[in-house]
Amino acid sequence: MATKIPEEINLHQQSAYLTLKYPEASYDLSAEYLRVHSPSAEVTGHGPGQEKLQIGKENVSIQSIVPVGNYAVQIVYDDGHDTGIYSWEYLYELGCEHAERWGRYLQKLKEAGYERVKQ
């Protein structure tokens, strides 16, 4: 399968969303969603079963997006997180699987006894 590279990436800083446009689809992904699904070790851990639930990221914003070669972008967040390298494949997965991943994340927060507070 060919790598899905977005035709456009638009950062909407005011609303804290990133829009990824592909020939067949467009995905609006919130900064919170992207932050809590960062591919960094801080979020994923160093192996299966070591994932760390990210709490309190409701109001996080994206400060910048930095290209990484021809294969990825690094997203810099206003909470200081900047170690996640989002490959084109992973960004496409995050768009395609948004509903399922977001639902699982909200369920995990609920199970942890955390109530989201969006400003």
Side-chain angles (χ1 to χ4, degrees), residues 50-67:
Q50 295 183 357
E51 299 83 5
K52 298 174 187 144
L53 181 62
Q54 301 296 298
I55 294 176
K57 303 302 178 187
E58 298 91 328
N59 298 304
V60 72
S61 293
I62 297 171
Q63 287 185 323
S64 63
I65 302 168
V66 181

Side-chain angles (χ1 to χ4, degrees), residues 9-20 29-35 57 59-66 73-81 86 91:
I9 299 174
N10 295 305
L11 174 58
H12 309 281
Q13 286 186 311
Q14 188 77 7
S15 58
Y17 271 80
L18 187 68
T19 300
L20 303 171
L29 306 177
S30 71
E32 178 185 8
Y33 175 73
L34 290 164
R35 173 63 177 83
K57 303 302 178 187
N59 298 304
V60 72
S61 293
I62 297 171
Q63 287 185 323
S64 63
I65 302 168
V66 181
V73 292
Q74 175 186 18
I75 300 177
V76 179
Y77 298 92
D78 67 353
D79 68 351
H81 183 71
Y86 295 76
L91 282 172

Side-chain angles (χ1 to χ4, degrees), residues 16-51:
Y17 271 80
L18 187 68
T19 300
L20 303 171
K21 292 185 180 180
Y22 299 90
E24 72 285 354
S26 180
Y27 302 106
D28 292 321
L29 306 177
S30 71
E32 178 185 8
Y33 175 73
L34 290 164
R35 173 63 177 83
V36 303
H37 289 93
S38 171
S40 69
E42 176 187 327
V43 176
T44 63
H46 292 283
Q50 295 183 357
E51 299 83 5

Side-chain angles (χ1 to χ4, degrees), residues 82-98:
D82 64 358
T83 57
I85 305 296
Y86 295 76
S87 70
W88 298 135
E89 292 87 1
Y90 187 57
L91 282 172
Y92 188 72
E93 283 176 32
L94 288 175
C96 291
E97 299 172 4
H98 180 269

